[in-house]
Amino acid sequence: MTITIHFEPGLKPVFKHLTGQHDQKTHGRWASSGLPHELTNYDEGFQGLRDAGILQQAKINKYNQPVVTRKVKDRIYLYDGQPVPEGYEKVGAGIYEKEIEKDANNSMDKPFMTFAIDRVRNEIEEKGFGGLPKELEAQLTEIQKGYIGADERDVKSHYQKIAKDMGLTGRNGDYFVDAMTMRTEIYVTNTNERVRYEMMKAMTPYIDNDESKARMTSYFKNYEKTQKTVAANLEKAFPVVAIESDDFMKVIADGRFKTQYETRESNGAYKPYLRRTRELAFLGVPQDTGASERPIYGFLAVQVDGTTPNTSGYNRDRWNIANTSVSQYGEVRVVLKDGVRERTSYTIPDSLDGYALARPLSEKHTTESMTFAGIRHDLSMSHGGLQREGYSEAQVYGGIKLSDIKEIYVVPSDYGSKSVNSSTVSSIKSALEAKGVNIPVNALVPEKSGS
């Protein structure tokens, strides 16, 4: 599959790589998988920040908080005749500066503040008469090496320079800087949240309160079971598009789905600026991608109907084609062929929620990849270790034609209804037959619904 990117005047062809650091020779993955390069190679995209010393392994300060080191200008003022300290250079009348390194807050880390790590740590230290047990201290020291960090000012400055090099000015430059700053924030935060999770897990056996210890132990057990269940479902999941019947008749007439940039409407959130920025930030979609080349959105399913393992905390039909959590998008459920899976990415929550980096659906689903895709422990605390989102979002690249459709189901248009409009089913069948297209169309009344 080939995706053509139309460059605006002044843009360099390296724009496909969001960091602007290298040429087009490494675009094979985009061409072969149909997924944005930055999505399939998310870690590579931050290499420029690492090389510049901006994205770094965080240090732990005396308050046990991760901090970063910044290069800043230390300025002093001297009278005539006063000796100039070593390393300082004159920059003005009586003004001297020297570049120094200084600890700064890890401002790209936005912790979810789920775990009271400091409080629990202090309680354990007090229990141990002023210190942690040696084996726990060694364990926490090793876990904390996973902390990463960056200062937001340096990140923005870095991407402002890249935007300038790429000829992005005004709003286009702002789009790029905002998106890449958000992308870095999610990368840092999700990485560090996993560190905090492992720290809390390591400290739990040392909690003195039996009730608290039992609650946390149960939570970790359930959450890790949830991760395994989600990973197993992702391995066999397929993309489904929910759409209203009237809109699907237009799809049949056009022979393809159109993106919301083409239709200029959405049954979800139609906010082009927000969507465009977040597609760049969280999906890695190049900023100047044409309207028809942007992703089509759907959800993931593993079966037609029935009760799937309860990994959401309240929605038993999360992984079903008949999922009631996507009812606002339409009663027609379009199941795509297996081959489309290779050019589909996913986020565990809705991508507009703003805390997930999309991952390829066809990759091996590990704790790390699902963490970036948005399986967040803080959202499951009140659900005993379960996830609360009602569906996992699918993003399909390269368009969806009628030839990409495997089968079609029509579900009740009203929540809780047990009947399907038969005229909707017959109308879709007739429209497809008129196009000479043979796709199965069936009514589907869910046996199980969300609760």
Side-chain angles (χ1 to χ4, degrees):
M1 184 191 72
T2 301
I3 293 181
T4 303
I5 300 300
H6 303 284
F7 293 97
E8 297 174 0
L11 290 185
K12 297 180 180 180
V14 295
F15 183 55
K16 183 84 72 174
H17 291 284
L18 304 185
T19 53
Q21 296 297 314
H22 44 271
D23 61 29
Q24 300 288 301
K25 295 178 182 178
T26 56
H27 283 160
R29 185 65 186 274
W30 171 290
S32 63
S33 72
L35 298 173
H37 181 90
E38 197 80 6
L39 187 155
T40 55
N41 301 274
Y42 67 96
D43 194 57
E44 174 191 303
F46 299 105
Q47 192 57 47
L49 288 172
R50 291 191 181 92
D51 292 343
I54 297 171
L55 182 61
Q56 55 191 266
Q57 179 180 338
K59 300 194 305 182
I60 306 300
N61 65 13
K62 63 182 180 180
Y63 304 107
N64 293 309
Q65 298 298 321
V67 296
V68 295
T69 300
R70 296 188 70 219
K71 291 182 178 179
V72 298
K73 296 290 187 181
D74 184 48
R75 174 174 289 187
I76 61 174
Y77 300 88
L78 300 174
Y79 296 110
D80 288 343
Q82 282 187 289
V84 179
E86 183 178 355
Y88 284 84
E89 296 182 357
K90 188 174 184 178
V91 295
I95 305 173
Y96 297 81
E97 287 183 346
K98 175 184 178 181
E99 187 174 80
I100 62 171
E101 290 189 345
K102 186 176 181 180
D103 286 349
N105 289 331
N106 189 0
S107 56
M108 293 306 291
D109 184 11
K110 311 291 185 182
F112 309 141
M113 302 303 289
T114 301
F115 298 134
I117 290 178
D118 292 340
R119 178 179 60 79
V120 173
R121 183 173 185 145
N122 289 338
E123 288 177 358
I124 296 173
E125 287 180 342
E126 290 174 5
K127 177 183 174 182
F129 303 103
L132 294 173
K134 289 184 178 180
E135 66 275 11
L136 176 59
E137 186 171 15
Q139 194 174 0
L140 294 181
T141 297
E142 189 62 29
I143 293 171
Q144 288 177 143
K145 291 179 181 178
Y147 274 129
I148 61 174
D151 186 274
E152 185 173 0
R153 293 164 291 184
D154 296 334
V155 171
K156 285 190 172 182
S157 177
H158 176 81
Y159 286 120
Q160 284 167 351
K161 291 175 183 176
I162 291 175
K164 183 178 180 180
D165 289 343
M166 296 194 310
L168 295 174
T169 59
R171 177 178 288 185
N172 282 335
D174 292 340
Y175 280 151
F176 179 80
V177 174
D178 289 348
M180 296 310 294
T181 301
M182 280 193 289
R183 187 172 180 82
T184 307
E185 178 184 306
I186 297 300
Y187 181 72
V188 171
T189 300
N190 286 12
T191 298
N192 290 350
E193 275 303 287
R194 189 65 202 176
V195 173
R196 284 184 273 268
Y197 174 90
E198 294 296 339
M199 288 180 65
M200 192 65 190
K201 184 180 176 182
M203 289 190 293
T204 293
Y206 297 87
I207 294 176
D208 204 26
N209 184 293
D210 290 340
E211 183 179 346
S212 296
K213 182 191 295 186
R215 186 176 67 252
M216 291 307 302
T217 300
S218 175
Y219 162 74
F220 288 121
K221 181 180 178 180
N222 286 340
Y223 179 71
E224 289 172 11
K225 181 180 178 180
T226 293
Q227 289 187 91
K228 291 179 180 178
T229 304
V230 171
N233 281 324
L234 289 172
E235 289 293 336
K236 56 186 177 182
F238 48 83
V240 183
V241 179
I243 185 172
E244 292 184 344
S245 56
D246 290 346
D247 290 332
F248 189 59
M249 297 300 283
K250 297 175 185 177
V251 170
I252 295 173
D254 293 335
R256 70 176 181 90
F257 278 82
K258 290 183 178 180
T259 70
Q260 62 178 249
Y261 296 90
E262 297 176 280
T263 64
R264 297 180 183 275
E265 62 181 2
S266 171
N267 284 347
Y270 180 63
K271 298 179 180 179
Y273 167 77
L274 179 65
R275 178 73 69 178
R276 183 184 177 192
T277 301
R278 294 199 169 184
E279 283 183 345
L280 173 59
F282 307 142
L283 311 185
V285 176
Q287 188 169 336
D288 57 352
T289 299
S292 64
E293 297 165 339
R294 289 184 172 273
I296 303 291
Y297 292 86
F299 65 99
L300 297 179
V302 300
Q303 62 185 15
V304 175
D305 191 22
T307 300
T308 51
N310 187 356
T311 58
S312 64
Y314 69 89
N315 192 314
R316 290 198 303 266
D317 64 1
R318 170 179 178 156
W319 297 95
N320 295 350
I321 291 172
N323 190 335
T324 53
S325 293
V326 296
S327 297
Q328 74 270 26
Y329 297 107
E331 74 277 25
V332 179
R333 305 298 166 86
V334 181
V335 181
L336 304 181
K337 291 180 178 178
D338 294 343
V340 178
R341 197 175 189 276
E342 298 298 318
R343 50 187 176 91
T344 300
S345 63
Y346 78 96
T347 48
I348 289 173
D350 190 296
S351 59
L352 281 185
D353 287 352
Y355 59 85
L357 299 181
R359 302 301 308 138
L361 182 57
S362 59
E363 75 176 357
K364 182 175 177 58
H365 304 290
T366 64
T367 296
E368 179 186 31
S369 68
M370 290 191 297
T371 295
F372 287 118
I375 187 167
R376 274 176 40 175
H377 60 74
D378 71 308
L379 296 182
S380 63
M381 281 295 288
S382 60
H383 296 279
L386 307 176
Q387 291 291 290
R388 72 178 187 181
E389 294 89 354
Y391 65 92
S392 289
E393 185 182 279
Q395 306 94 25
V396 181
Y397 306 84
I400 301 174
K401 300 178 182 178
L402 295 180
S403 58
D404 293 317
I405 299 175
K406 180 179 181 179
E407 53 191 347
I408 299 165
Y409 292 90
V410 180
V411 301
S413 57
D414 296 324
Y415 183 81
S417 173
K418 294 298 182 182
S419 63
V420 172
N421 190 331
S422 59
S423 64
T424 300
V425 176
S426 58
S427 295
I428 292 174
K429 286 182 176 179
S430 297
L432 289 170
E433 289 172 2
K435 283 285 253 184
V437 178
N438 183 23
I439 300 174
V441 184
N442 295 289
L444 172 60
V445 177
E447 293 181 7
K448 303 290 183 181
S449 61
S451 62

